Structure formats: structure tokens, C-alpha cells
Amino acid sequence: MSKLNLAEDIILLLLDDDTGKMEDVHANVTEMLMAGAVLMDLGLKGRIDCDLERLFVVDATPTGDAILDGPLKQIETETESLSPKTWIQRIAEQGMQIRDAAIERLEQRNIIKVQDTRFLWVFGSRRYPVIDDREEREAKLRLMDVLLSDKIPDPHDVALICLADSASVFEVILSERELRHAGERIEQVRKLDLIGQAMSDQIRKFVYDITMAIAHAQQPLY
């Protein structure tokens, strides 16, 4: 089975193990997370780069992942130079479609099963019970292993930790005790210098710029 993309990993991180429901985060936060996940994956795959002023395509070759290739084409065909913040906001407009596509793919891979339930035939809710929880447990245990040790994470997990931290996901999925222990380590991971490892200085800076863009993306556009 191919490695999950960041959007899929975020979905699994936000799944409550007991109820099968998504953890209670604001819809706008979910949209920002999905946008950030797409842009980080494109950066990790060497398709885009950015600085604080602009985000741009460096390789327009499709990745073969439909979740990523639509936004890649959108960035490629944009004639105006736009900032990472603006791209976060633009792609966040498609955030729920990206989320639904990630959920559908997880269901197709037999990792989760989508169920609709009804209460008094009026209020509808959707649950996502895990069928094969290997990927979910791997994602959560992988991150906890990084956060509670001094192991050097791979680029994907650095991006996932930075992304989750930028949107306060850890405050939702970790207990207060876990968060106290992990807080300093999260900050260390955000500053990791992975030269000589799988992630280059350029990609590390890209992840930083994207997470900074997420943090400021709810401010009005000018």
C-alpha cells in the first residue's frame, strides 16, 4: 500500500478512536489544514517552492495524485504572482472537497468505513469507524514516538507535525499531560536542521513558510 498523503494522515489524526467521529475542530480550521497539507505535499515532492512573498511552481509534472494535481495545475496556470498566504486561502476554498476526497480514498483502501446515522430522523451525523486501524495507529504512534523521543523524523512527519501544530491539532488529540511533555519537542521538530537527512534546507524553509502562512491566513486579503 502506498504511503498516505498529508491530507489523509490529518483525517486519521482527527478521528476519535472511540466514537469514529472527527474531532471537534472548526470547519475553517479543517479547510486550512487541507490546504496546507496539499501545499506541503507538493513542496515535499519538489513541485512548488515559496518565500514569504510568493509561491511558485518549479516542476509542473503531475504527481499522479488527483488530490494534489488539481491545485498544482491551478498554481501553474495563475498569471499573477501570489503569496503563500493567498494560496492557502484560495485552496482552503476547496478544503471540504479535498477532505471528502481524502475520506473517500481512505474508504476505498478499506482503512475506514463511512456510515450515516440519524437521530429521530431529523439530525444527521456521519461517522468514520476504522476498519483497518494500522494506518491510523501508525500515524499517531509515529508522531508520538517522535514527540516523546529524540529520534530524527522523516520529512513527511516533520511536515505533519508542523501542520498539526500550526492549527492547534495537538491540543485536540493529546491529553493535557501528553501535551505538556510534547510541547518543547514540537518546537524542536519545527526547528530541525535536516541537512544530510532526507529533507533539504529548502524544504525545511518551505514547511516553515507554509505553516506561517496558515497562522496568518485568516486575516483579510488586501
Side-chain angles (χ1 to χ4, degrees), residues 61-134:
T61 305
T63 66
D65 184 335
I67 290 176
L68 305 181
D69 287 340
L72 175 61
K73 187 67 174 178
Q74 185 180 354
I75 298 167
E76 180 197 6
T77 55
E78 174 59 56
T79 57
E80 187 179 353
S81 179
L82 302 176
S83 69
K85 171 185 169 181
T86 302
W87 277 116
I88 287 286
Q89 291 176 313
R90 284 199 175 186
I91 295 177
E93 294 174 0
Q94 311 160 37
M96 289 308 179
Q97 292 97 312
I98 295 170
R99 183 203 65 172
D100 291 346
I103 289 172
E104 182 179 1
R105 185 176 300 175
L106 290 169
E107 185 178 26
Q108 289 172 349
R109 293 181 177 185
N110 207 38
I111 297 171
I112 65 174
K113 181 178 180 181
V114 178
Q115 294 179 337
D116 285 305
T117 60
R118 298 205 172 268
F119 178 68
L120 298 179
W121 300 277
V122 177
F123 301 104
S125 65
R126 177 159 288 185
R127 298 177 69 253
Y128 310 95
V130 175
I131 298 173
D132 178 358
D133 70 350
R134 181 182 60 185

Side-chain angles (χ1 to χ4, degrees), residues 8-217:
E8 293 165 329
D9 262 340
I10 285 290
I11 295 297
L12 292 179
L13 285 179
L14 288 175
L15 276 178
D16 184 282
D17 293 329
D18 297 323
T19 66
K21 294 182 179 180
M22 301 288 288
E23 295 284 6
D24 188 17
V25 295
H26 194 278
N28 190 49
V29 173
T30 301
E31 292 164 359
M32 294 292 179
L33 278 168
M34 293 297 103
V38 165
L39 292 177
M40 282 190 183
D41 262 329
L42 288 172
L44 289 170
K45 293 178 181 296
R47 298 309 197 270
I48 62 176
D49 198 357
C50 72
D51 51 38
L52 291 177
E53 285 74 39
R54 63 193 187 105
L55 184 147
F56 49 91
V57 173
V58 294
D59 180 0
T61 305
T63 66
D65 184 335
I67 290 176
L68 305 181
D69 287 340
L72 175 61
K73 187 67 174 178
Q74 185 180 354
I75 298 167
E76 180 197 6
T77 55
E78 174 59 56
T79 57
E80 187 179 353
S81 179
L82 302 176
S83 69
K85 171 185 169 181
T86 302
W87 277 116
I88 287 286
Q89 291 176 313
R90 284 199 175 186
I91 295 177
E93 294 174 0
Q94 311 160 37
M96 289 308 179
Q97 292 97 312
I98 295 170
R99 183 203 65 172
D100 291 346
I103 289 172
E104 182 179 1
R105 185 176 300 175
L106 290 169
E107 185 178 26
Q108 289 172 349
R109 293 181 177 185
N110 207 38
I111 297 171
I112 65 174
K113 181 178 180 181
V114 178
Q115 294 179 337
D116 285 305
T117 60
R118 298 205 172 268
F119 178 68
L120 298 179
W121 300 277
V122 177
F123 301 104
S125 65
R126 177 159 288 185
R127 298 177 69 253
Y128 310 95
V130 175
I131 298 173
D132 178 358
D133 70 350
R134 181 182 60 185
E135 282 76 11
E136 181 197 19
R137 292 186 181 278
E138 282 182 355
K140 290 183 178 179
L141 291 177
R142 212 170 59 232
L143 294 197
M144 292 308 296
D145 192 36
V146 170
L147 296 179
L148 300 178
S149 73
D150 58 358
K151 293 182 179 179
I152 297 177
D154 70 16
H156 180 94
D157 288 344
V158 171
L160 185 57
I161 287 169
C162 292
L163 183 61
D165 182 58
S166 70
S168 301
V169 170
F170 289 122
E171 295 178 11
V172 176
I173 68 174
L174 300 183
S175 68
E176 289 185 12
R177 181 174 178 274
E178 290 171 329
L179 195 57
R180 284 196 302 270
H181 281 81
E184 184 177 346
R185 177 60 172 161
I186 290 170
E187 188 61 26
Q188 289 176 347
V189 170
R190 288 176 61 90
K191 297 178 179 178
L192 274 179
D193 183 355
L194 296 179
I195 296 176
Q197 302 296 324
M199 183 181 286
S200 69
D201 221 9
Q202 181 180 13
I203 292 298
R204 180 169 58 87
K205 181 179 181 301
F206 178 87
V207 170
Y208 173 81
D209 288 341
I210 290 297
T211 53
M212 288 297 291
I214 292 173
H216 295 91

